[in-house]
Amino acid sequence: MQGDGEVLFLGGVGEVAVTLGHDGLSFLPLHPELGSSCLSSIGLLPKLENKIKFSDVYAVELLDEGPVCGPWNTRIVAQGKKNSEMHRFAVHVITRSRKHPSQLVPCEYLFGHKDPETCKSWVEHLSACINNEQDRPKNLMVFVHPLCGKGRGCKNWEMVAPLFDRAKVNTKVIITERAGHAYDTLASISDKELKKFDGVVAVGGDGLFNEILNGLLNSRNKISYPPTPEGFGYFGSTEKCQGCRNDGLNNSTATSDAVNVMLRVGSNKSDDHEPLLSTGKSVVGLDISSLNPNTESSTGDQVPPVFFPNDWFRLGIIPSGSTDAIVLSTTGERDAVTSALLIIFGRRIALDIAQVVRWKSSPSAEVLPTVRYAASFAGYGFYGEVIRESENYRWMGPARYDFSGTMVFLKHRSYDAKVAFLENENSHSFAASAENVADEVQPLQSRRKRSRKTICQANCSVCKETSTPGQNSEDEIPNSSQTIHNNPKWIWSEGRFLSVGAAVISCRNERAPDGLVAEAHLSDGFLHLLLIRDCPLPLYLWHLTQFTKKGSDPLTFKFVEHHKTRAFTFISSHDESVWNLDGELFQACEVSVQACRGLVNLFASGPEV
């Protein structure tokens, strides 16, 4: 261990007495009259701090011999040299942007000493200290979508890859070549191989993340089917999801500019504008020889299976798509560097996931349970029709979503449906009756006030209230047998709906700053069910435009029902009923949905306020 008060040379400051503590590094300038500032090779620190916390250090790097600049605001330099040549090491840290508190900014402290062994000793000891941070990942599998966001996937990975290299995080990089590549890889990878990684990172949009999510949970989530009410037809089913039919994923999605706010909120898939390349290549076993050979892994033929939820495995997103709603809702910033640093530091939050079970694809189809998972949103009606309509205009490129969104909106089509949801005794539902809404043409009478809810943020007390990350969601969501025993109250709502949607998270995006449901939390075990009843077209447009205004509340219209619930079911008699699951087209006329509390862990910490 280094001695207290050892003298080193700090770039931009001069000689400092450095002291090593249990939680960080502190230093005191020996010539304070020279003033100080700190210029890094990456950015300018707003203010020189006299202490560096290990929790803020993402890397320590031994450098070649070279210049260490003296104080910037004076010509007085130590030992009469302006740029002293010496042996050097850099301590790479983070600070927060003044304008955007959720944005992390990397910078460095450059230290120097005439003795190379002294620098080497400091690097070894500081590296050991930050390696004691148990949550920091060592090995990651990274999927890069090369075409999402007009090619931003590869560009963003090239930008942040040096951060992972500097932090000595091993990355197995896979460039996706076709639709379903990530899904197939993760669905087929053995648990023994999977355990060699601390997590999976998506460099792309919400659609690539959804593909990864379903690939992982396809056979590894053992939770029961969602509870269902009497009269649904599948009341009392207690089958597990293991063995359920899971169709291959596709990469259809939808966004629209004409009614762009609702579409961007409801269709978070970022792989929309640039679909994955089609290829006939099959998924082969992963080559993990480039990983750290000292990585601990299970040996022998008997490998304990991987189940979700668990405490160790995490998912990450480096935003590169067109909306990046999941990243904005979980970090507060649509910034690739910030997301990369959160992954390197091993930040962790639990994330609710919606489990969607399709019982029938059409009224005449046979009962065949099919399971899907959604991290942000599941929507029917307007949301699903835009996706289906856009398939007819592929020749238009990305503009097809704007065009199809406008066409679906102008058709103003409503759908007969029945929805049942579990009553939440601890919160109020903002429900509209099924009565005629013709009086809605009076604008001042079409809104109602409601109290603002607690917004989810870093260290959210609501998300931590009754459970911790990784806790089995079966403790939070009653399975079918528990439903029968506990006899919870189901509430039915039926009629003609423009759309039926369920938000898992707030679904923020740059055009809808508060998202679809501003008060949605990341891990409280609830869905926000939105039922938009048939109404005049101008009122529907007014409702949609409210999403563009920060601080507005689009859910206060009388034709909007908002229910906070743990589970719901949906029945439609329409032959071509389609859903939008995180941008995936999913045909289903009978579904049951539940919130799986904290089913996965995310490399994030929640948005700063």
Side-chain angles (χ1 to χ4, degrees), residues 210 265-268 354-356 372-381 383-384 499-505 507 516 527-530 568 578-584 586 591-594:
N210 181 273
V265 169
S267 302
N268 296 315
Q355 179 202 50
V356 182
R372 287 287 182 274
Y373 298 93
S376 60
F377 183 77
Y380 171 85
Y383 310 106
S499 64
V500 174
V504 188
I505 58 179
C507 300
L516 185 62
L527 302 168
H528 288 264
L529 178 63
L530 304 179
F568 73 93
V578 291
W579 283 76
N580 169 357
L581 304 184
D582 287 350
E584 293 287 346
F586 189 56
V591 300
S592 57
V593 185
Q594 69 175 338

Side-chain angles (χ1 to χ4, degrees), residues 45-266:
L45 277 175
K47 181 182 178 181
L48 178 68
E49 301 292 343
N50 290 329
K51 183 172 183 178
I52 304 173
K53 295 181 179 180
F54 293 139
S55 58
D56 292 333
V57 178
Y58 71 90
V60 182
E61 188 177 19
L62 186 64
L63 304 175
D64 295 333
E65 185 177 5
V68 180
C69 299
W72 302 107
N73 62 343
T74 177
R75 291 184 176 275
I76 304 175
V77 293
Q79 300 176 350
K81 294 182 180 180
K82 187 173 182 180
N83 292 321
S84 302
E85 293 282 333
M86 56 183 69
H87 299 277
R88 307 171 300 166
F89 67 93
V91 179
H92 299 278
V93 301
I94 57 166
T95 185
R96 293 193 178 273
S97 168
R98 288 182 176 181
K99 293 183 179 180
H100 306 282
S102 293
Q103 185 171 338
L104 301 180
V105 180
C107 58
E108 70 178 23
Y109 289 84
L110 185 62
F111 291 92
H113 197 277
K114 288 188 175 183
D115 181 16
E117 291 302 317
T118 298
C119 291
K120 183 179 178 181
S121 178
W122 273 101
V123 168
E124 290 175 351
H125 193 78
L126 292 175
S127 297
C129 290
I130 65 173
N131 286 337
N132 286 334
E133 303 276 337
Q134 298 296 325
D135 283 342
R136 300 195 184 200
K138 298 294 187 296
N139 298 299
L140 295 172
M141 184 185 296
V142 179
F143 288 94
V144 180
H145 190 325
L147 300 179
C148 68
K150 298 182 179 179
R152 284 199 300 158
C154 288
K155 292 178 181 177
N156 281 351
W157 176 247
E158 290 171 1
M159 177 175 62
V160 301
L163 297 176
F164 288 91
D165 291 339
R166 188 177 293 150
K168 295 180 174 56
V169 178
N170 299 297
T171 56
K172 175 63 180 180
V173 181
I174 301 172
I175 307 297
T176 56
E177 300 174 337
R178 56 182 172 82
H181 187 169
Y183 174 89
D184 291 340
T185 301
L186 290 170
S188 61
I189 188 175
S190 69
D191 287 345
K192 181 177 181 180
E193 287 180 302
L194 190 63
K195 285 185 176 181
K196 295 179 180 180
F197 299 93
D198 300 304
V200 177
V201 175
V203 185
D206 295 340
L208 179 61
F209 181 80
N210 181 273
E211 202 176 303
I212 289 171
L213 180 72
N214 279 273
L216 282 171
L217 298 180
N218 174 39
S219 60
R220 297 181 178 96
N221 181 28
K222 305 300 180 181
I223 192 172
S224 301
Y225 288 148
T228 55
E230 289 188 77
F232 180 66
Y234 315 104
F235 177 67
S237 173
T238 58
E239 295 181 62
K240 295 290 184 179
C241 291
Q242 186 180 16
C244 298
R245 177 172 174 263
N246 285 272
D247 299 331
L249 297 180
N250 62 62
N251 279 283
S252 302
T253 185
T255 56
S256 169
D257 239 343
V259 206
N260 56 47
V261 175
M262 178 60 79
L263 292 181
R264 288 180 181 272
V265 169

Side-chain angles (χ1 to χ4, degrees), residues 8 13-19 26-32 50:
L8 297 174
V13 178
E15 290 183 317
V16 293
V18 183
T19 304
S26 59
F27 49 87
L28 183 66
L30 298 184
H31 306 284
N50 290 329

Side-chain angles (χ1 to χ4, degrees), residues 278-340:
S278 297
T279 178
K281 291 184 178 179
S282 60
V283 178
V284 297
L286 292 176
D287 175 16
I288 55 174
S289 58
S290 61
L291 298 178
N292 188 338
N294 295 323
T295 301
E296 293 184 2
S297 61
S298 301
T299 57
D301 296 330
Q302 298 297 323
V303 179
V306 176
F307 296 123
F308 288 89
N310 61 57
D311 290 327
W312 61 276
F313 201 85
R314 283 159 289 175
L315 304 180
I317 312 176
I318 295 176
S320 306
S322 60
T323 56
D324 299 312
I326 297 177
V327 166
L328 277 167
S329 300
T330 56
T331 69
E333 286 294 331
R334 190 183 180 187
D335 177 61
V337 171
T338 296
S339 293

